[in-house]
Amino acid sequence: MKGAIRLNGMKFAGKHGVRPEEKTLYQPFEVDVEIECDLTAPSQTDRLEDTIDYSRAADIVQSVVSGEHCDLLEKLAGRILDRFGEIVTEGRVTVRVRKPRAPLSVTFEYIEVELCREFTP
């Protein structure tokens, strides 16, 4: 049974961006993760061992966003995807990273980057 697990609107502080102040001052980031996978087993067994642990997924995102600096949102999203290989053995993972306070001279809601990766056994 194909399905998806989504963690939407996670909010973190990090130091990411090209400008000098973005490398030293914390700023807000928002992240969505969607994991498309086979949910047959957990829908029948009701066992955490048979699915993706949401807590572990959120911890991965938090550790990457609060960790080592990235100039680009693309790099940050890529690092998150790389780490999801620790908990996803098969399926498609989509990561969206938003930066609501990017230093631009125009009014905007947020800047967003989306990356996807297929994981195969």
Side-chain angles (χ1 to χ4, degrees), residues 7 16 21 40 58 67 78 85-87 89 97 110:
L7 291 88
H16 306 287
E21 64 273 15
T40 303
E86 298 171 14
I87 61 171
T89 57
V97 177
Y110 53 77

Side-chain angles (χ1 to χ4, degrees), residues 39-74:
L39 296 175
T40 303
S43 71
Q44 295 171 354
T45 66
D46 198 28
R47 292 170 15 121
L48 181 59
E49 302 82 38
D50 294 333
T51 193
I52 304 297
D53 183 339
Y54 317 147
S55 177
R56 178 77 175 113
D59 288 347
I60 285 172
V61 178
Q62 182 174 24
S63 70
V64 174
V65 176
S66 65
E68 185 180 344
H69 169 83
C70 297
D71 281 345
L72 303 177
L73 292 179
E74 294 86 342

